[in-house]
Amino acid sequence: MIDRRTLLAAAPLWMALPRLAQAQTLETAKVLCGFPAGGTTDAVSRRVADKLRGGYARVALVDNKAGAGGRLAAEETSRATPDGSTLLLTPASIVTLYPHIYSRLNYGLRDLRPVSTACHISFGFGVGPAVPESVRDIKGFLAWAKANPEQANYASPGAGTPPHFIGALLTKESGLDLRHVPYKGSAPGIQDLLGGQVAAMSSPVGDYLPHLKNGKLRLLAISGKQRSKLVPDVATYAEQGFPALTISEWYGFFLPGKASDEVTQRAAAAIAAAVSSPEVVEAFAQLGLEAAANSPAELAKAVADENAAWGPVVKRVGFKPEA
């Protein structure tokens, strides 16, 4: 079901689309995705690009510029012609977290103009067969970890990712030595979680959904401000006494930094219309994502606020910036 608040927020944008589209339909639009085909970012890119085709642009394509943790696509966008023909779809961390964990980036916040979010994602903390069935919440896991320090570990999709920092904050907050096991993506980590090679994993909620239904994994906590509509019975970290672990992420669209107000508003209207469509809302839900568009100004504020918030977190967990 479409979130009524999302529709109302997006209405001024998508209602303006017919007038804007008639004036400036592009021949070709390219959505740059910094991750390989088949992943969540790619899937979001393709769902929205399908809806841009025929209105925003006669042809809308997805171009996977995978590499460097999504940085290559951001770099290419920053150098692209700012006429609306090149859009970047990226997780928030590329623009909010990366400035704190990489000592050198070939793009900055001024090089990318915020357009609109596409969806929101929460992170979950799950356990598999290595942890007793009796463990059903975070405090239960921490009690088990304290009693079994040699088995107390958690996986993540990679060092320096938001799920990694959530696990690192849990380590700090609990005072326990929870060892981090980084993987190259969620899929291999989930497989080892299922096999009992790791005790727990911090990862996007959608990664767990297929395995929750058959009882092979248990989700102990959600990182969002509120419980996820996808797993409403799972309490947030804050509800369980860990408010510092309230961290969520969005996927957002950006234009080259020099894009005009008119180009930006037209792109925002098209994306809001796409994200509000029932087909996209349902497709996102299947991926563990909650569809949500906003305005360029709202996205710009979110980028600034979250960029400022990540600095103290990175410093607290002691993560050293990489090259």
Side-chain angles (χ1 to χ4, degrees):
M1 181 177 292
I2 301 175
D3 188 326
R4 186 170 183 270
R5 289 174 298 176
T6 298
L7 277 175
L8 290 174
L13 294 171
W14 64 258
M15 288 175 66
L17 180 60
R19 173 176 55 81
L20 292 169
Q22 186 176 14
Q24 298 184 24
T25 298
L26 296 166
E27 186 62 38
T28 302
K30 179 171 61 175
V31 176
L32 289 176
C33 172
F35 299 88
T40 300
T41 312
D42 174 70
V44 172
S45 301
R46 293 183 188 281
R47 295 297 188 280
V48 176
D50 286 346
K51 292 295 181 180
L52 297 181
R53 192 174 298 120
Y56 180 75
R58 291 183 176 85
V59 177
L61 306 170
V62 173
D63 187 1
N64 297 90
K65 293 291 182 182
R71 287 174 285 162
L72 295 183
E75 291 169 12
E76 181 166 330
T77 303
S78 71
R79 298 190 298 263
T81 303
D83 60 357
S85 62
T86 298
L87 289 156
L88 171 69
L89 184 279
T90 183
S93 53
I94 304 296
V95 292
T96 61
L97 174 58
Y98 278 18
H100 299 287
I101 65 173
Y102 290 103
S103 58
R104 293 188 300 275
L105 287 175
N106 292 326
Y107 63 90
L109 297 182
R110 294 182 179 180
D111 300 320
L112 300 170
R113 180 150 189 184
V115 178
S116 172
T117 54
C119 54
H120 290 277
I121 182 172
S122 291
F123 302 104
F125 194 87
V127 295
V131 178
E133 285 281 341
S134 59
V135 174
R136 295 285 167 172
D137 57 23
I138 284 295
K139 290 184 178 179
F141 173 78
L142 294 175
W144 172 83
K146 185 175 182 179
N148 299 273
E150 71 285 352
Q151 301 176 55
N153 57 41
Y154 72 95
S156 83
T161 62
H164 168 212
F165 284 111
I166 290 171
L169 284 172
L170 182 61
T171 298
K172 290 287 186 181
E173 292 280 308
S174 66
L176 299 178
D177 181 19
L178 304 177
R179 294 183 302 282
H180 178 224
V181 184
Y183 284 83
K184 292 183 178 180
S186 296
I190 289 289
Q191 287 305 309
D192 278 1
L193 184 63
L194 288 165
Q197 282 78 36
V198 289
M201 184 165 185
S202 178
S203 196
V205 170
D207 295 336
Y208 303 98
L209 295 181
H211 310 291
L212 296 177
K213 295 176 182 178
N214 58 28
K216 292 184 177 180
L217 298 180
R218 283 160 285 142
L219 204 52
L220 307 185
I222 294 294
S223 69
K225 292 181 180 178
Q226 294 89 29
R227 295 192 183 196
S228 170
K229 291 182 288 187
L230 303 169
V231 282
D233 295 334
V234 180
T236 65
Y237 282 106
E239 287 179 277
Q240 300 183 62
F242 298 95
L245 278 69
T246 302
I247 294 173
S248 59
E249 190 167 45
W250 38 260
Y251 285 78
F253 280 93
F254 293 80
L255 287 164
K258 293 183 180 179
S260 67
D261 290 346
E262 182 179 2
V263 166
T264 302
Q265 289 298 329
R266 181 172 181 273
I271 291 164
V275 168
S276 300
S277 70
E279 299 89 350
V280 171
V281 171
E282 177 60 27
F284 283 3
Q286 295 298 319
L287 296 168
L289 308 170
E290 297 182 23
N294 63 2
S295 70
E298 289 169 331
L299 180 53
K301 185 177 187 304
V303 169
D305 290 349
E306 293 176 30
N307 178 263
W310 271 118
V313 172
V314 173
K315 184 176 181 179
R316 184 182 179 194
V317 303
F319 190 88
K320 301 299 182 183
E322 299 179 6

